[in-house]
């Protein structure tokens, strides 16, 4: 006996089977594969497209160094020459500039309409009155203050030149004696001074202007020559009592979006503080609002140095006399190579797009897991020998593998199409980041899937969401429709959703999964990024937000893109390992958070899954399951607990079976299946009494027997089978399959057991052959044996021909699915097979096919099948048991049962109506207790108790009758099994109603 028992399948066998199944499944799941592959490709290509568009825009001539076609030799052929001399202000920035030009330092002069004048809100009488604005002759003002007014006012008179003439032989030197300024806005790079290229006048600020002081000056700045108009503007210096007053005046003169107010701008203001002959201190106000565009750089800084020099000169002049000067001749930029304007647009959009790409894996894993659980395929696999441990390990490894391939392709593809995001950052950091994240994502998917498979847990989870959503709804309603109290409030009830339609669950998960991916990207990009960029937002809160995996993913991608953007702009590397220690780089925290979460989720996922599969809600389930009954008492510990009431009521056949079981248990000779007083009680709920689903069932099946279980619906047949296949634990008693206890050795039993469940548990997109290959591998078959077994199995259930074997199971008809389920239960030569209504819903020819399969199969194994078809039971089963209300009412082979419970023949005779009475007399003489059960125009049916009649007598009597009158037809029938079934069921139920 022992050598016919298969040992548990090794880990590698299970792994092999599951892996191959998963790969086949992946291969077949074309729709999700396409989605999986196309999303990153489309997003990457979109980025590349956008990037190219941006690059093209930036590469337009007005963003490039200016060029000109020069005909050097006068041959009519010109050569393109580029350089700063052919560029305008914008183009100059891109040129190669080995020797930058020198520019006279300029002051920023307010535009004449904005220069400070007397207004209704500034009361200083020393300001000019605003009539000067009409003629455009307003002076430009400098405000002064300090502790020593004498000294300050004296320095003020030194600020502006009084009229030194220009010396054309050394124009820069003589310009330095003048105070030049411009109203133009400076660029952020001063390769070309905007003042000389904007068709605006350059001002010479003087203490007095003669009216004719406007002239045009040819200026030659190296390669660039300009004809520059220079005009005079009066410089005004005004004393204020304190810096406070200056601030106040500036404040009031600042227009901030209020067109009613007047702008009063000044050139600059000086606070000479405590300056005296021994020391010079000065604070300078300058107008930083002269900026070009929206850039944050204070562009007017190029006009600030001259105002510093102005103050220094005023002091020196005062200290040393009119000949002393600190001359400020020119300003120039550093030399620079040719540069192109570039903007790594892809890196800016990257985090959003890549968040979508990476998190797309989450629903993929989640749906795959929920699918297997919801379709009960996980249980089906478990029943065919796939342990929880291997399932977890292999599934995890498999999805990790898929995710790794996916990410690898993503990074390689992104690098190939030239996205800086991938190229500039260290690949090692990218690898670590993505690896940890896909692990985190996967363990989260396992956790969520465990929740979803556990209806109670899922309901709990959804209740929490529900409460939050409803509170939010109520709060919202209260706020918005406060006046209208009759407004009905609609509340969401997820629990109802789940209870109403559990089959929708997968769709719900799919929709929720993808919506979450999409929303997650947007939320990260528009909310979380906002917090990230807000320097004042607490870093602590950012870390708290990063506990949400979507945000930590975004943070990592954001850092990558940030470094890539910077690297691209500055022409340096992206993120390197050393950058992790940078305080502003959030990558380190993100990595740590994700790593910890990964491990926590992994543990939790496994834990919840174990709770779900063990059906217990105990915190210490792991230790519970280890606790086994002590070996000596194990076999018989529940023996005598069976309810005695039932023992007394038992029919002799059932009692005999019980005795046989007890003997078998003592002698421990091998029987395929031995049930020892198996019992299942469901605890009473909501005030209902507890329900006995199975009451003390004892049964023994030798090898080669097919046992049929008959019984009305709700009799406990399925509960019994579920106990035998390890889905639920018996309340008391136990059963042994091949000598192994169902309470403790289920893992061993699985390898020797086949199950054909009541509903077909099949993968829609796998073919029949693939199903059999998978389950065959789980049963230790391999190589040629496996191929042969699968082929034989397909042939035996008539699924081999016509390419049916290689069609997707989802496309099978009900009969084909059923036959495939039976084939699955029989593959790998299991010693015990359970079939739950195997032929339900089959047409007669499929059914007879199936019967032949089962008949052939039962030769060397024990089969327990439940059925509602008496024909099937009679055809297939060696012994039958009628199961009513949780206990066996009778047991025996079909003939015995009929003999025992039928107890009568049915005699039918058809004559002309005149002879009816004679027939009745004849039957009376045959059997005094005969009972007429049917009568219609000459046709009569009688029930004859078997003990009163002999068949030979009946024949004799009929022969005699035939000689006396015409008999059209007659017949004698034994009772059918159906009669037995109805009788037994009725008696048992009637008894139960009475008790
Ligand atoms: C103020 O400055 C003037 C001129 O430099 C000097 O003569 C005078 O002593 C200073 N006054 C004070 C109070 O330091
Ligand atoms: C500034 O000080 C002078 C002298 O102390 C005084 O006459 C004048 O009113 C003050 N100006 C203001 C605006 O307070």
């Amino acid at each position: 006996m022992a050598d016919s028992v298969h040992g548990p399948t090794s880990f590698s066998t299970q792994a092999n089977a599951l892996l191959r199944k998963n790969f086949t499944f992946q291969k077949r799941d074309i729709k999700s594969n396409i989605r999986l592959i196309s999303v990153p490709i489309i997003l990457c290509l979109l980025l590349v497209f956008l990037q190219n568009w941006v690059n093209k825009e930036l590469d337009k001539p007005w963003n490039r160094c200016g060029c000109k076609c020069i005909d050097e030799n006068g041959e009519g052929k010109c050569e393109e020459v580029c350089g700063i001399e052919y560029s305008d202000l914008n183009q100059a920035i891109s040129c190669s500039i080995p020797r930058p030009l020198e520019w006279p330092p300029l002051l920023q002069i307010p535009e004449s309409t904005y220069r400070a004048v007397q207004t209704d809100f500034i009361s200083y009488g020393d300001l000019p009155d605003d009539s000067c604005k009409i003629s455009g002759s307003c002076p430009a003002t400098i405000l002064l203050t300090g502790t020593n007014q004498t000294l300050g006012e004296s320095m003020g008179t030194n600020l502006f030149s009084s009229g030194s003439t220009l010396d054309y032989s050394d124009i820069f030197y003589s310009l330095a004696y003048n105070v030049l300024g411009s109203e133009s806005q400076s660029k952020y790079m001063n390769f070309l001074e905007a003042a000389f290229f904007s068709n605006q006048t350059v001002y010479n600020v003087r203490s007095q202007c003669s009216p004719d002081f406007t002239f045009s000056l040819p200026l030659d700045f190296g390669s660039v020559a300009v004809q520059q108009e220079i005009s005079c503007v009066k410089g005004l210096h005004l004393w204020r009592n304190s810096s406070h007053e200056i601030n106040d005046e500036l404040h009031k003169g600042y227009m901030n979006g209020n067109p009613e107010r007047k702008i009063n701008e000044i050139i600059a203001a000086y606070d000479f503080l405590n300056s005296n002959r021994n020391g010079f201190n000065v604070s300078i106000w300058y107008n930083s609002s002269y900026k070009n565009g929206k850039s944050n750089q204070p562009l007017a800084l190029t006009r600030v140095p001259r105002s510093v020099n102005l103050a220094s000169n005023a002091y020196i002049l005062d200290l040393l006399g009119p000949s002393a000067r600190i001359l400020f001749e020119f300003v120039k930029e550093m030399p620079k190579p040719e540069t192109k304007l570039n903007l790594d647009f892809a890196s800016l959009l990257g985090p959003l797009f890549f968040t979508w790409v990476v998190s797309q894996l989450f629903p993929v894993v989640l749906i795959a897991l929920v699918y297997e659980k919801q379709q009960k395929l996980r249980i089906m696999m478990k029943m065919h020998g796939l342990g929880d441990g291997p399932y977890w390990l292999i599934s995890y490894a498999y999805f990790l593998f898929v995710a790794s391939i996916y990410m690898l392709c993503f990074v390689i593809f992104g690098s190939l199409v030239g996205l800086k995001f991938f190229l500039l950052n260290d690949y090692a950091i990218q690898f670590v980041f993505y690896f940890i994240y896909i692990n985190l994502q996967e363990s989260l998917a396992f956790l969520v899937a465990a929740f979803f498979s556990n209806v109670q847990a899922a309901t709990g989870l959804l209740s929490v969401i529900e409460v939050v959503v409803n509170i939010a709804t109520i709060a919202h309603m209260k706020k918005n429709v406060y006046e209208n109290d009759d407004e009905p409030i609609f509340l969401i009830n997820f629990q109802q959703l789940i209870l109403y339609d559990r089959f929708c669950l997968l769709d719900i998960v799919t929709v929720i999964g993808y919506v979450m991916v999409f929303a997650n990207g947007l939320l990260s990009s528009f909310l979380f990024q906002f917090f990230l960029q807000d320097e004042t937002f607490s870093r602590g809160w950012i870390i708290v937000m990063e506990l949400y995996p979507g945000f930590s993913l975004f943070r990592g991608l954001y850092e990558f893109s940030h470094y890539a953007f910077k690297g691209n702009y500055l022409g340096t590397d992206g993120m390197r390992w050393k950058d992790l220690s940078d305080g502003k780089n959030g990558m380190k925290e993100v990595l740590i958070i994700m790593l910890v979460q990964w491990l926590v989720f992994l543990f939790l996922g496994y834990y919840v899954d174990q709770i779900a599969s063990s059906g217990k809600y105990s915190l210490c389930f792991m230790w519970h399951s280890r606790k086994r009954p002590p070996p000596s008492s194990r076999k018989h510990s529940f023996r005598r607990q069976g309810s005695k009431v039932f023992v007394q009521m038992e029919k002799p056949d059932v009692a005999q079976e019980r005795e046989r079981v007890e003997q078998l248990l003592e002698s421990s000779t091998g029987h395929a299946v031995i049930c020892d007083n198996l019992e299942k009680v469901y605890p009473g709920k909501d005030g209902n009494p507890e329900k006995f689903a199975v009451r003390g069932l004892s049964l023994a099946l030798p090898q080669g027997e097919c046992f049929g279980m008959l019984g009305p619906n709700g009799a406990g047949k399925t509960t019994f089978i579920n106990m035998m296949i390890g889905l639920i634990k018996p309340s008391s008693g136990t059963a042994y399959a091949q000598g192994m206890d169902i309470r403790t050795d289920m893992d061993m039993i699985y390898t020797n057991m086949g199950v054909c469940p009541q509903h077909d548990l099949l993968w829609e997109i796998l073919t029949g052959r693939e199903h059999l290959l998978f389950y065959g591998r789980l049963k230790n078959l391999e190589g040629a044996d496996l191929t042969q077994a699968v082929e034989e199995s397909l042939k035996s259930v008539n699924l081999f021909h016509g390419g049916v074997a290689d069609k997707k199971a989802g496309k099978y008809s009900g009969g084909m699915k059923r036959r495939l389920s039976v084939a699955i239960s029989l593959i790998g030569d299991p010693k015990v097979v359970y079939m739950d209504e195997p032929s339900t819903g089959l047409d007669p020819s499929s059914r007879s096919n199936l019967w032949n399969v089962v008949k052939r199969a039962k030769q060397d194994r024990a089969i327990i099948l439940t059925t509602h078809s008496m024909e099937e039971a009679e055809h297939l089963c060696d012994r039958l048991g009628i199961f009513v209300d949780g206990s066996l009412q009778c047991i025996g082979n079909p003939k015995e049962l009929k003999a025992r419970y039928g107890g009568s023949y049915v005699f039918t005779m058809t004559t002309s109506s005149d002879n009816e009475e004679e027939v009745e007399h004849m039957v009376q003489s045959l059997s005094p207790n005969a009972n007429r059960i049917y009568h219609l125009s000459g046709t009569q049916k009688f029930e004859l108790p078997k003990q009163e009649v002999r068949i030979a007598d009946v024949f004799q009597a009929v022969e005699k009758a035939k000689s006396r009158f015409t008999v059209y037809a007659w017949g004698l029938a034994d009772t059918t099994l159906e009669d037995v079934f109805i009788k037994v069921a009725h008696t048992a139920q009637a008894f139960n109603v009475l008790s």
Side-chain angles (χ1 to χ4, degrees), residues 497-534:
L497 210 71
I498 278 207
L499 292 179
Y500 275 131
D501 204 345
R502 296 249 302 271
F503 285 93
C504 249
L505 191 62
L506 197 68
D507 300 325
I508 294 177
V509 169
T510 311
V511 171
I512 289 181
Y514 281 102
V515 166
M516 264 179 67
V517 167
F518 189 68
N520 180 27
L522 294 182
L523 208 64
S524 307
S525 187
F526 294 107
L527 181 74
F528 185 56
Q529 179 159 302
F530 173 75
F531 289 125
L532 279 183
Q533 286 169 343
D534 182 358

Side-chain angles (χ1 to χ4, degrees), residues 291-452:
K291 306 189 260 200
N292 197 355
K294 280 183 178 156
S295 148
N296 282 328
Q297 279 158 307
L299 300 177
L301 278 182
T302 54
R303 304 265 166 89
V304 173
R306 186 64 172 116
S307 62
V308 181
N309 174 256
L310 214 57
S312 313
N313 262 326
Y315 180 72
I316 293 278
L317 260 165
D318 197 63
L319 200 64
L320 303 177
S323 56
R325 274 294 195 304
I326 305 172
L327 281 187
F328 188 8
E329 271 192 58
F330 61 82
V331 287
K332 74 173 191 175
E333 287 274 344
M334 301 269 192
K336 73 176 259 296
E338 185 177 353
T339 45
K340 256 187 168 176
L341 260 188
N342 57 13
L343 174 74
D344 190 8
F345 187 68
S347 292
L348 287 183
L349 260 191
L352 171 62
F353 280 30
F354 300 155
T355 300
W356 281 333
V357 169
V358 179
S359 51
Q360 200 213 163
L361 285 170
F362 179 72
V364 172
V365 179
L366 183 64
I367 290 164
L369 290 173
V370 172
Y371 178 77
E372 289 202 333
K373 279 185 184 159
Q374 204 223 339
Q375 307 287 76
K376 302 221 167 67
L377 287 161
R378 167 96 188 269
I379 286 170
M380 185 72 178
M381 292 192 277
K382 192 172 174 177
M383 287 184 305
H384 286 88
L386 182 67
D388 278 339
Y391 176 81
W392 254 82
L393 252 160
I394 298 305
S395 298
Y396 193 87
Y398 171 74
F399 287 121
L400 186 61
F401 173 77
V402 172
S404 306
I405 296 283
Y406 174 80
M407 289 310 301
L408 200 66
C409 293
F410 171 56
V411 174
I412 290 177
F413 184 78
S415 306
L416 284 182
V417 296
L419 292 177
K420 296 280 186 293
F421 185 93
F422 301 102
L423 291 171
L424 290 179
N425 293 310
D426 193 339
Y427 280 112
I429 306 181
Q430 295 190 54
F431 174 81
V432 171
F433 175 73
Y434 292 133
F435 183 77
I436 295 182
Y437 187 74
I438 54 179
N439 271 298
L440 165 61
Q441 192 164 251
E442 208 187 314
S443 46
L444 186 62
F446 270 74
L447 176 62
V448 176
F451 263 109
F452 268 109

Side-chain angles (χ1 to χ4, degrees), residues 148 150-151 277:
N148 188 335
T150 327
L151 180 65
R277 298 191 66 85

